[in-house]
Amino acid sequence: MDRTNVRELQDVVIRFSGDSGDGMQLTGTLFSDTSALLGNGISTFPDYPAEIRAPQGTVAGVSGFQVHFANRPGLNPGDYCDVLVAMNPAALKANRKWLKRGATVIIDGDSITEEHLKKAGFATLDPLAELKLDEYNVVIPDITTMTREALKDSGLDNKAIVKCKNMFALGICFYLFNRPEDYAKRYLDTKFAKKNPAIAEANKRAMDAGYNFAANTHQFANTYNVPPAHLEKGTYRTISGNVATAWGLCAAAEKAGLPLFCGSYPITPATVILEELAKRKDLGVKTVQAEDEIAGICTAIGAAFAGNFAVTTTSGPGLSLKSEALGLAVMTELPLVVVDVQRGGPSTGLPTKTEQSDLVQALYGRNGECPVVVMAASTPSDCFHFAFEAGRIAMEHMTPVILLTDGFIANGSEPWRIPSMKDYPTIVPPIVDKAPEGGFMPYVRNEKLARGWAFPGKVGLEHRVGGLEKDSVKGSISHDPANHQKMVNTRAAKVAKVVEDIPDQTVLGPQEGELLVVGWGGTRGNLQSAVMQLQEEGKSVSLCHFNYINPLPRNVREIFARFKRIVVCELNEGQFAGYLRQHFQEFHYDQYNKCEGLPFTVVELKEKFYTLLAE
């Protein structure tokens, strides 16, 4: 189709929003995957309601999916949207605050009824005036009616037809941003090939109807093109943080030459890791959906004793339940990776929202002197690398490792350059295959202070493990005070010695200056965007973002000493800042904290940094 008035943009943020049953997650995923196939950098933010099934048409039940696609690698899903697709008044009301000035708003006109407006909490029958949208480009197509018309001879019932309205909205956006429909149509054919091909055909026709509506009615003055990003050469795919975590664990098992075992209890937002691992029977992965969190970690500890690379996955409340068994893994000195996909807490809290409030629990949430390695991933794609690293450290150092991600990066997605496994190191656990002269002593240690890993069933390697303190060499039960002191010191020294096996901390930007921004885990994309924008303005700002938390990298003190001011930004009330004060008391730390169940915005970060630089 010939087009006029095509404008080229560097980046665009679209937010798809509607009721939980309106298919917004699928709509956003198909748009983002299509953009990724065109070579755009993308970053996504699925935003689920916290209630399993909130009342339809209410603000509490609004589900959203935000995608940021650009002509450069995506660092974050964007603060505010250029286009809002709202399937009902509640979605419009919930997302009004996220509109950029002059944004395009597409709302299903059929949904603007007195009943829907009342459910959404509007005081009048004119939502556009009430929300002061006169300065925005508001388009109100009757999406439901046109979907029904397009599918009137499909043979589907009315309920099934109305469910296709999200594809009508997707077709509008495909036209508006010059996206081809081919990938989305192939996905629909594959998804419904066996279940119901008629559903696939109906969705494709609805998509075409939306595309043709946008092309023929001239309600959009322009269409837009976002050129491909300049990415490093390689084979890419879109990946979410949870899937990347699962695959990184599989890679670690492969490089160790051991079977992977995952014992877990389903919990939002970590369940997808268990589901993804359950698909990998072709790689020898074994999964157990346990009856509770405690059973999940205990099966994993048993699997580690039996010679598996053992993993358990959870979120904050589940990590609490696993704490006693995690102490058992520390005492037995068995390798174990615990993945904690953090969510808003405490208790059930905000199960579909993001937060970084489990750090103190990960560091200290066990009885006794019970140190473990703590790491954090920063982006959806680097969840692969840090899951691999967690497995490597756990197996080579014979210690539990907690890997922290969060709901933001676990559910979000971005292009991932598929690595070659030859570029990843072989993992060499201290496996003992045969008894040495004089007999096997289970707590004799190597240069990493790791004890030998002897699998059961081998003659001469019989030994005891358990929760009671063991003799520092023989492994027999010991109540000797001096031996307990020695073992406490040794276990702490073993974790501290991991510092020799991790990279030095890096700084983005000048290596000294006025302000050092410090963050950890999933906040990196937003912090990096804010810092880079200030650097482009000539401000003396640098970023120091942490992935290795216990132990901290060796050169942290030297880095901090080179900056006049340090601000620690985290999605909690200051847990990492408090941890840094314990280790490096000579520095003053400003804090910027947020506990809204949402990631930082670049705008609010920049305002904070401007304030600190001006003081």
Side-chain angles (χ1 to χ4, degrees):
M1 180 183 294
D2 292 332
R3 295 172 183 265
T4 58
N5 300 324
V6 179
R7 294 179 57 193
E8 187 164 295
L9 301 175
Q10 292 185 345
D11 67 322
V12 174
V13 177
I14 302 179
R15 189 171 181 92
F16 299 93
S17 188
D19 264 326
S20 290
D22 284 342
M24 294 297 95
Q25 305 303 320
L26 174 61
T27 308
T29 297
L30 289 175
F31 190 94
S32 60
D33 286 354
T34 298
S35 298
L37 285 168
L38 294 177
N40 294 128
I42 65 164
S43 179
T44 70
F45 176 43
D47 189 13
Y48 305 97
E51 296 182 55
I52 293 174
R53 181 60 73 181
Q56 281 196 316
T58 65
V59 172
V62 171
S63 175
F65 189 104
Q66 186 159 302
V67 55
H68 182 191
F69 62 107
N71 64 351
R72 58 186 181 276
L75 289 176
N76 62 77
D79 292 353
Y80 300 95
C81 58
D82 300 282
V83 176
L84 171 65
V85 177
M87 302 305 287
N88 61 20
L92 181 65
K93 187 172 187 178
N95 292 288
R96 168 65 178 86
K97 62 184 177 182
W98 300 116
L99 292 174
K100 288 182 183 175
R101 184 176 296 275
T104 294
V105 178
I106 303 169
I107 182 169
D108 182 4
D110 292 311
S111 71
I112 305 177
T113 65
E114 184 175 356
E115 179 187 4
H116 282 99
L117 291 167
K118 185 176 181 180
K119 281 185 176 180
F122 281 95
T124 69
L125 298 181
D126 188 350
L128 306 186
E130 193 169 329
L131 295 178
K132 300 178 181 178
L133 294 176
D134 51 306
E135 295 183 5
Y136 295 87
N137 177 31
V138 182
V139 181
I140 314 177
D142 292 330
I143 292 176
T144 302
T145 296
M146 287 189 283
T147 302
R148 286 195 182 107
E149 179 65 23
L151 303 181
K152 62 184 179 182
D153 59 352
S154 65
L156 300 178
D157 59 34
N158 183 64
K159 184 177 180 181
I161 287 173
V162 171
K163 280 189 173 181
C164 298
K165 65 183 180 180
N166 62 323
M167 291 297 106
F168 190 101
L170 180 61
I172 294 175
C173 293
F174 277 160
Y175 174 80
L176 191 57
F177 292 100
N178 292 297
R179 313 277 100 174
E181 298 175 283
D182 301 353
Y183 167 79
K185 290 182 174 180
R186 288 198 302 271
Y187 172 87
L188 292 168
D189 283 334
T190 301
K191 180 177 176 65
F192 295 105
K194 295 181 180 179
K195 185 184 295 185
N196 193 340
I199 296 292
E201 189 59 33
N203 277 281
K204 290 190 292 183
R205 286 172 60 183
M207 190 188 308
D208 285 337
Y211 192 98
N212 292 332
F213 163 80
N216 296 327
T217 60
H218 307 293
Q219 294 203 36
F220 301 97
N222 301 290
T223 62
Y224 304 91
N225 186 49
V226 178
H230 298 290
L231 302 173
E232 184 181 357
K233 287 185 177 180
T235 302
Y236 286 81
R237 61 153 290 150
T238 302
I239 200 165
S240 70
N242 274 338
V243 172
T245 299
W247 290 6
L249 296 170
C250 290
E254 178 186 326
K255 283 294 188 175
L258 295 174
L260 173 59
F261 176 93
C262 178
S264 291
Y265 179 75
I267 182 171
T268 302
T271 306
V272 170
I273 303 173
L274 175 62
E275 293 173 343
E276 189 65 26
L277 289 175
K279 300 175 185 177
R280 306 315 317 185
K281 293 181 178 64
D282 58 324
L283 300 178
V285 177
K286 294 168 283 190
T287 55
V288 170
Q289 181 176 320
E291 66 269 24
D292 56 43
E293 295 282 3
I294 299 170
I297 188 172
C298 287
T299 58
I301 293 171
F305 175 68
N308 293 258
F309 169 37
V311 175
T312 186
T313 58
T314 191
S315 190
L319 186 61
S320 299
L321 290 167
K322 293 180 190 292
S323 62
E324 182 182 358
L326 187 52
L328 175 63
V330 170
M331 180 62 82
T332 56
E333 298 191 50
L334 286 166
L336 173 71
V337 172
V338 180
V339 182
D340 175 21
V341 186
Q342 299 168 96
R343 72 192 206 189
S347 188
T348 308
L350 300 170
T352 62
K353 306 301 181 181
T354 197
E355 209 163 272
Q356 289 185 300
S357 53
D358 292 347
L359 179 60
V360 168
Q361 181 180 200
L363 289 166
Y364 308 117
R366 295 161 296 283
N367 68 292
E369 295 295 330
C370 195
V372 301
V373 176
V374 179
M375 301 166 53
S378 292
T379 68
S381 61
D382 81 9
C383 284
F384 178 90
H385 173 74
F386 287 105
F388 181 93
E389 275 287 278
R392 180 185 68 83
I393 290 171
M395 286 185 278
E396 292 190 344
H397 292 263
M398 293 294 287
T399 184
V401 175
I402 297 177
L403 174 62
L404 299 171
T405 69
D406 58 60
F408 173 46
I409 61 173
N411 293 320
S413 60
E414 63 183 0
W416 174 56
R417 183 173 177 269
I418 301 174
S420 172
M421 289 313 297
K422 65 179 175 59
D423 296 331
Y424 276 77
T426 299
I427 295 174
V428 186
I431 296 171
V432 181
D433 284 323
K434 61 181 180 180
E437 288 187 24
F440 175 57
M441 298 295 174
Y443 286 92
V444 170
R445 301 176 184 276
N446 64 14
E447 70 283 354
K448 294 180 178 180
L449 298 181
R451 74 173 186 87
W453 192 6
F455 305 158
K458 295 192 176 183
V459 175
L461 297 179
E462 299 87 350
H463 64 287
R464 300 179 68 174
V465 298
L468 290 173
E469 185 64 276
K470 300 296 186 291
D471 180 84
S472 62
V473 177
K474 298 177 182 178
S476 55
I477 294 172
S478 173
H479 300 290
D480 177 49
N483 178 78
H484 178 55
Q485 181 71 65
K486 181 176 181 180
M487 289 296 277
V488 166
N489 294 345
T490 301
R491 287 188 289 264
K494 181 176 65 169
V495 170
K497 202 168 180 61
V498 171
V499 75
E500 299 173 6
D501 208 14
I502 63 175
D504 282 350
Q505 183 63 37
T506 59
V507 174
L508 173 68
Q511 301 302 296
E512 59 182 29
E514 295 291 326
L515 180 63
L516 180 66
V517 176
V518 172
W520 66 276
T523 58
R524 190 179 76 188
N526 300 75
L527 291 175
Q528 186 172 333
S529 295
V531 167
M532 290 174 66
Q533 289 179 28
L534 264 66
Q535 288 173 349
E536 290 171 1
E537 297 171 16
K539 305 295 184 183
S540 179
V541 183
S542 300
L543 174 64
C544 184
H545 203 82
F546 286 82
N547 298 108
Y548 298 92
I549 295 174
N550 188 37
L552 290 162
R554 286 170 289 197
N555 61 329
V556 175
R557 176 173 277 107
E558 290 80 0
I559 290 172
F560 285 4
R562 296 197 295 264
F563 290 86
K564 294 180 180 178
R565 197 159 193 174
I566 300 169
V567 57
V568 184
C569 306
E570 45 188 330
L571 300 178
N572 58 45
E573 288 300 284
Q575 296 182 19
F576 191 54
Y579 181 62
L580 292 174
R581 288 187 184 100
Q582 290 179 0
H583 285 268
F584 311 110
Q585 299 178 16
E586 65 268 37
F587 303 110
H588 171 76
Y589 303 93
D590 291 296
Q591 293 180 209
Y592 190 51
N593 304 107
K594 179 177 178 177
C595 273
E596 298 179 6
L598 295 169
F600 286 121
T601 66
V602 175
V603 168
E604 66 191 2
L605 289 169
K606 289 175 65 177
E607 288 177 355
K608 177 65 176 180
F609 302 158
Y610 283 135
T611 300
L612 292 172
L613 287 166
E615 290 179 354

mmCIF file of all heavy atoms in Angstrom, residues 347-380:
data_model
loop_
_atom_site.group_PDB
_atom_site.id
_atom_site.type_symbol
_atom_site.label_atom_id
_atom_site.label_comp_id
_atom_site.label_asym_id
_atom_site.label_seq_id
_atom_site.Cartn_x
_atom_site.Cartn_y
_atom_site.Cartn_z
ATOM 1 N N SER A 347 4.124 -10.295 53.217
ATOM 2 C CA SER A 347 3.059 -11.281 53.083
ATOM 3 C C SER A 347 2.680 -11.410 51.608
ATOM 4 O O SER A 347 3.536 -11.387 50.737
ATOM 5 C CB SER A 347 1.869 -10.898 53.957
ATOM 6 O OG SER A 347 0.905 -11.932 53.970
ATOM 7 N N THR A 348 1.408 -11.549 51.306
ATOM 8 C CA THR A 348 0.992 -11.676 49.909
ATOM 9 C C THR A 348 1.272 -10.386 49.149
ATOM 10 O O THR A 348 1.622 -10.404 47.973
ATOM 11 C CB THR A 348 -0.508 -12.022 49.827
ATOM 12 O OG1 THR A 348 -0.759 -13.150 50.665
ATOM 13 C CG2 THR A 348 -0.912 -12.353 48.411
ATOM 14 N N GLY A 349 1.127 -9.257 49.815
ATOM 15 C CA GLY A 349 1.544 -7.973 49.261
ATOM 16 C C GLY A 349 0.956 -7.688 47.898
ATOM 17 O O GLY A 349 -0.253 -7.742 47.688
ATOM 18 N N LEU A 350 1.836 -7.387 46.956
ATOM 19 C CA LEU A 350 1.460 -7.095 45.566
ATOM 20 C C LEU A 350 2.081 -8.171 44.677
ATOM 21 O O LEU A 350 3.180 -7.974 44.142
ATOM 22 C CB LEU A 350 1.966 -5.709 45.155
ATOM 23 C CG LEU A 350 1.453 -4.521 45.965
ATOM 24 C CD1 LEU A 350 2.230 -3.259 45.596
ATOM 25 C CD2 LEU A 350 -0.032 -4.306 45.714
ATOM 26 N N PRO A 351 1.431 -9.309 44.524
ATOM 27 C CA PRO A 351 2.101 -10.448 43.889
ATOM 28 C C PRO A 351 2.453 -10.267 42.428
ATOM 29 O O PRO A 351 3.326 -10.971 41.926
ATOM 30 C CB PRO A 351 1.099 -11.597 44.074
ATOM 31 C CG PRO A 351 -0.203 -10.943 44.339
ATOM 32 C CD PRO A 351 0.099 -9.661 45.030
ATOM 33 N N THR A 352 1.789 -9.334 41.730
ATOM 34 C CA THR A 352 2.121 -9.134 40.318
ATOM 35 C C THR A 352 2.978 -7.890 40.092
ATOM 36 O O THR A 352 3.236 -7.525 38.947
ATOM 37 C CB THR A 352 0.839 -9.014 39.480
ATOM 38 O OG1 THR A 352 0.107 -7.861 39.927
ATOM 39 C CG2 THR A 352 -0.023 -10.251 39.621
ATOM 40 N N LYS A 353 3.408 -7.250 41.162
ATOM 41 C CA LYS A 353 4.172 -6.007 41.025
ATOM 42 C C LYS A 353 5.633 -6.249 41.412
ATOM 43 O O LYS A 353 5.991 -7.258 42.006
ATOM 44 C CB LYS A 353 3.560 -4.915 41.892
ATOM 45 C CG LYS A 353 2.066 -4.677 41.643
ATOM 46 C CD LYS A 353 1.758 -4.295 40.209
ATOM 47 C CE LYS A 353 0.262 -4.048 40.019
ATOM 48 N NZ LYS A 353 -0.073 -3.696 38.613
ATOM 49 N N THR A 354 6.465 -5.274 41.097
ATOM 50 C CA THR A 354 7.906 -5.451 41.283
ATOM 51 C C THR A 354 8.412 -4.696 42.509
ATOM 52 O O THR A 354 7.840 -3.683 42.910
ATOM 53 C CB THR A 354 8.661 -4.993 40.016
ATOM 54 O OG1 THR A 354 9.987 -5.509 40.034
ATOM 55 C CG2 THR A 354 8.696 -3.474 39.907
ATOM 56 N N GLU A 355 9.477 -5.211 43.107
ATOM 57 C CA GLU A 355 10.107 -4.580 44.268
ATOM 58 C C GLU A 355 11.488 -5.220 44.458
ATOM 59 O O GLU A 355 11.785 -6.261 43.884
ATOM 60 C CB GLU A 355 9.240 -4.781 45.515
ATOM 61 C CG GLU A 355 9.363 -3.679 46.560
ATOM 62 C CD GLU A 355 8.209 -3.720 47.558
ATOM 63 O OE1 GLU A 355 7.170 -3.090 47.285
ATOM 64 O OE2 GLU A 355 8.346 -4.407 48.575
ATOM 65 N N GLN A 356 12.315 -4.593 45.277
ATOM 66 C CA GLN A 356 13.647 -5.128 45.591
ATOM 67 C C GLN A 356 13.794 -5.299 47.097
ATOM 68 O O GLN A 356 14.860 -5.075 47.648
ATOM 69 C CB GLN A 356 14.736 -4.177 45.077
ATOM 70 C CG GLN A 356 14.895 -4.135 43.570
ATOM 71 C CD GLN A 356 16.073 -3.263 43.168
ATOM 72 O OE1 GLN A 356 16.115 -2.076 43.461
ATOM 73 N NE2 GLN A 356 17.038 -3.857 42.486
ATOM 74 N N SER A 357 12.747 -5.743 47.743
ATOM 75 C CA SER A 357 12.726 -5.701 49.198
ATOM 76 C C SER A 357 13.120 -7.001 49.881
ATOM 77 O O SER A 357 12.936 -7.150 51.084
ATOM 78 C CB SER A 357 11.337 -5.274 49.675
ATOM 79 O OG SER A 357 10.340 -6.095 49.096
ATOM 80 N N ASP A 358 13.676 -7.961 49.111
ATOM 81 C CA ASP A 358 14.110 -9.224 49.719
ATOM 82 C C ASP A 358 15.612 -9.276 49.982
ATOM 83 O O ASP A 358 16.136 -10.330 50.356
ATOM 84 C CB ASP A 358 13.742 -10.408 48.815
ATOM 85 C CG ASP A 358 12.248 -10.628 48.715
ATOM 86 O OD1 ASP A 358 11.516 -10.039 49.530
ATOM 87 O OD2 ASP A 358 11.818 -11.378 47.820
ATOM 88 N N LEU A 359 16.316 -8.182 49.781
ATOM 89 C CA LEU A 359 17.776 -8.228 49.885
ATOM 90 C C LEU A 359 18.227 -8.595 51.298
ATOM 91 O O LEU A 359 19.076 -9.485 51.476
ATOM 92 C CB LEU A 359 18.383 -6.880 49.473
ATOM 93 C CG LEU A 359 19.908 -6.810 49.569
ATOM 94 C CD1 LEU A 359 20.572 -7.852 48.674
ATOM 95 C CD2 LEU A 359 20.405 -5.420 49.207
ATOM 96 N N VAL A 360 17.684 -7.944 52.304
ATOM 97 C CA VAL A 360 18.097 -8.244 53.676
ATOM 98 C C VAL A 360 17.751 -9.690 54.028
ATOM 99 O O VAL A 360 18.527 -10.390 54.681
ATOM 100 C CB VAL A 360 17.443 -7.253 54.665
ATOM 101 C CG1 VAL A 360 17.627 -7.716 56.099
ATOM 102 C CG2 VAL A 360 18.048 -5.861 54.490
ATOM 103 N N GLN A 361 16.592 -10.149 53.579
ATOM 104 C CA GLN A 361 16.217 -11.543 53.814
ATOM 105 C C GLN A 361 17.215 -12.495 53.151
ATOM 106 O O GLN A 361 17.616 -13.496 53.745
ATOM 107 C CB GLN A 361 14.810 -11.812 53.266
ATOM 108 C CG GLN A 361 14.351 -13.236 53.501
ATOM 109 C CD GLN A 361 12.966 -13.535 52.959
ATOM 110 O OE1 GLN A 361 12.341 -14.487 53.384
ATOM 111 N NE2 GLN A 361 12.483 -12.751 52.011
ATOM 112 N N ALA A 362 17.628 -12.181 51.920
ATOM 113 C CA ALA A 362 18.593 -13.038 51.224
ATOM 114 C C ALA A 362 19.934 -13.053 51.946
ATOM 115 O O ALA A 362 20.590 -14.097 52.052
ATOM 116 C CB ALA A 362 18.771 -12.562 49.785
ATOM 117 N N LEU A 363 20.344 -11.912 52.469
ATOM 118 C CA LEU A 363 21.642 -11.827 53.137
ATOM 119 C C LEU A 363 21.630 -12.466 54.519
ATOM 120 O O LEU A 363 22.589 -13.152 54.910
ATOM 121 C CB LEU A 363 22.068 -10.364 53.261
ATOM 122 C CG LEU A 363 22.470 -9.663 51.958
ATOM 123 C CD1 LEU A 363 22.527 -8.153 52.173
ATOM 124 C CD2 LEU A 363 23.816 -10.183 51.449
ATOM 125 N N TYR A 364 20.550 -12.262 55.276
ATOM 126 C CA TYR A 364 20.589 -12.612 56.707
ATOM 127 C C TYR A 364 19.420 -13.489 57.177
ATOM 128 O O TYR A 364 19.375 -13.828 58.361
ATOM 129 C CB TYR A 364 20.580 -11.330 57.544
ATOM 130 C CG TYR A 364 21.638 -10.332 57.155
ATOM 131 C CD1 TYR A 364 21.288 -9.070 56.673
ATOM 132 C CD2 TYR A 364 22.996 -10.640 57.269
ATOM 133 C CE1 TYR A 364 22.252 -8.137 56.325
ATOM 134 C CE2 TYR A 364 23.956 -9.719 56.910
ATOM 135 C CZ TYR A 364 23.587 -8.467 56.443
ATOM 136 O OH TYR A 364 24.539 -7.549 56.089
ATOM 137 N N GLY A 365 18.490 -13.825 56.297
ATOM 138 C CA GLY A 365 17.246 -14.438 56.759
ATOM 139 C C GLY A 365 17.322 -15.903 57.115
ATOM 140 O O GLY A 365 16.529 -16.713 56.625
ATOM 141 N N ARG A 366 18.272 -16.267 57.981
ATOM 142 C CA ARG A 366 18.404 -17.651 58.450
ATOM 143 C C ARG A 366 18.894 -17.632 59.889
ATOM 144 O O ARG A 366 19.492 -16.658 60.331
ATOM 145 C CB ARG A 366 19.411 -18.426 57.578
ATOM 146 C CG ARG A 366 18.953 -18.591 56.140
ATOM 147 C CD ARG A 366 20.076 -18.925 55.210
ATOM 148 N NE ARG A 366 21.079 -17.868 55.100
ATOM 149 C CZ ARG A 366 20.927 -16.758 54.387
ATOM 150 N NH1 ARG A 366 19.806 -16.523 53.738
ATOM 151 N NH2 ARG A 366 21.890 -15.851 54.332
ATOM 152 N N ASN A 367 18.652 -18.708 60.613
ATOM 153 C CA ASN A 367 19.148 -18.754 61.994
ATOM 154 C C ASN A 367 20.633 -19.106 62.000
ATOM 155 O O ASN A 367 21.150 -19.775 61.107
ATOM 156 C CB ASN A 367 18.370 -19.780 62.808
ATOM 157 C CG ASN A 367 18.639 -21.207 62.372
ATOM 158 O OD1 ASN A 367 18.254 -21.597 61.268
ATOM 159 N ND2 ASN A 367 19.278 -21.993 63.217
ATOM 160 N N GLY A 368 21.311 -18.652 63.047
ATOM 161 C CA GLY A 368 22.732 -18.980 63.187
ATOM 162 C C GLY A 368 23.596 -18.177 62.234
ATOM 163 O O GLY A 368 23.134 -17.319 61.479
ATOM 164 N N GLU A 369 24.880 -18.448 62.288
ATOM 165 C CA GLU A 369 25.835 -17.843 61.352
ATOM 166 C C GLU A 369 25.761 -18.642 60.058
ATOM 167 O O GLU A 369 26.297 -19.733 59.956
ATOM 168 C CB GLU A 369 27.246 -17.865 61.941
ATOM 169 C CG GLU A 369 27.407 -17.002 63.185
ATOM 170 C CD GLU A 369 27.211 -15.523 62.874
ATOM 171 O OE1 GLU A 369 27.503 -15.098 61.738
ATOM 172 O OE2 GLU A 369 26.748 -14.791 63.768
ATOM 173 N N CYS A 370 25.080 -18.081 59.070
ATOM 174 C CA CYS A 370 24.662 -18.876 57.907
ATOM 175 C C CYS A 370 24.873 -18.112 56.604
ATOM 176 O O CYS A 370 23.915 -17.718 55.935
ATOM 177 C CB CYS A 370 23.199 -19.261 58.085
ATOM 178 S SG CYS A 370 22.618 -20.547 57.004
ATOM 179 N N PRO A 371 26.112 -17.861 56.207
ATOM 180 C CA PRO A 371 26.367 -17.040 55.019
ATOM 181 C C PRO A 371 26.120 -17.800 53.715
ATOM 182 O O PRO A 371 26.420 -18.994 53.608
ATOM 183 C CB PRO A 371 27.846 -16.681 55.158
ATOM 184 C CG PRO A 371 28.438 -17.846 55.900
ATOM 185 C CD PRO A 371 27.369 -18.304 56.855
ATOM 186 N N VAL A 372 25.542 -17.109 52.751
ATOM 187 C CA VAL A 372 25.403 -17.658 51.399
ATOM 188 C C VAL A 372 25.833 -16.598 50.397
ATOM 189 O O VAL A 372 25.873 -15.401 50.699
ATOM 190 C CB VAL A 372 23.952 -18.096 51.094
ATOM 191 C CG1 VAL A 372 23.476 -19.157 52.071
ATOM 192 C CG2 VAL A 372 22.997 -16.914 51.104
ATOM 193 N N VAL A 373 26.155 -17.041 49.207
ATOM 194 C CA VAL A 373 26.470 -16.121 48.115
ATOM 195 C C VAL A 373 25.161 -15.515 47.625
ATOM 196 O O VAL A 373 24.157 -16.215 47.459
ATOM 197 C CB VAL A 373 27.185 -16.856 46.975
ATOM 198 C CG1 VAL A 373 27.428 -15.919 45.792
ATOM 199 C CG2 VAL A 373 28.510 -17.438 47.472
ATOM 200 N N VAL A 374 25.152 -14.193 47.404
ATOM 201 C CA VAL A 374 23.973 -13.494 46.895
ATOM 202 C C VAL A 374 24.359 -12.727 45.640
ATOM 203 O O VAL A 374 25.335 -11.970 45.630
ATOM 204 C CB VAL A 374 23.390 -12.527 47.949
ATOM 205 C CG1 VAL A 374 22.175 -11.792 47.377
ATOM 206 C CG2 VAL A 374 22.998 -13.276 49.218
ATOM 207 N N MET A 375 23.581 -12.944 44.575
ATOM 208 C CA MET A 375 23.803 -12.276 43.301
ATOM 209 C C MET A 375 22.478 -11.695 42.813
ATOM 210 O O MET A 375 21.417 -12.053 43.316
ATOM 211 C CB MET A 375 24.340 -13.275 42.257
ATOM 212 C CG MET A 375 25.631 -13.947 42.643
ATOM 213 S SD MET A 375 25.993 -15.375 41.576
ATOM 214 C CE MET A 375 25.863 -14.620 39.958
ATOM 215 N N ALA A 376 22.556 -10.812 41.814
ATOM 216 C CA ALA A 376 21.336 -10.226 41.252
ATOM 217 C C ALA A 376 21.512 -10.009 39.759
ATOM 218 O O ALA A 376 22.565 -9.537 39.312
ATOM 219 C CB ALA A 376 21.008 -8.896 41.937
ATOM 220 N N ALA A 377 20.500 -10.356 38.986
ATOM 221 C CA ALA A 377 20.489 -10.069 37.549
ATOM 222 C C ALA A 377 19.909 -8.681 37.308
ATOM 223 O O ALA A 377 19.176 -8.153 38.140
ATOM 224 C CB ALA A 377 19.673 -11.129 36.810
ATOM 225 N N SER A 378 20.234 -8.093 36.150
ATOM 226 C CA SER A 378 19.873 -6.699 35.893
ATOM 227 C C SER A 378 18.879 -6.478 34.765
ATOM 228 O O SER A 378 18.188 -5.469 34.741
ATOM 229 C CB SER A 378 21.129 -5.880 35.567
ATOM 230 O OG SER A 378 21.949 -5.752 36.695
ATOM 231 N N THR A 379 18.838 -7.378 33.785
ATOM 232 C CA THR A 379 17.972 -7.205 32.625
ATOM 233 C C THR A 379 17.354 -8.558 32.274
ATOM 234 O O THR A 379 17.858 -9.604 32.707
ATOM 235 C CB THR A 379 18.751 -6.692 31.396
ATOM 236 O OG1 THR A 379 19.653 -7.715 30.942
ATOM 237 C CG2 THR A 379 19.540 -5.434 31.727
ATOM 238 N N PRO A 380 16.291 -8.571 31.483
ATOM 239 C CA PRO A 380 15.734 -9.859 31.079
ATOM 240 C C PRO A 380 16.766 -10.776 30.435
ATOM 241 O O PRO A 380 16.834 -11.967 30.757
ATOM 242 C CB PRO A 380 14.632 -9.463 30.095
ATOM 243 C CG PRO A 380 14.186 -8.120 30.556
ATOM 244 C CD PRO A 380 15.444 -7.439 31.036
#
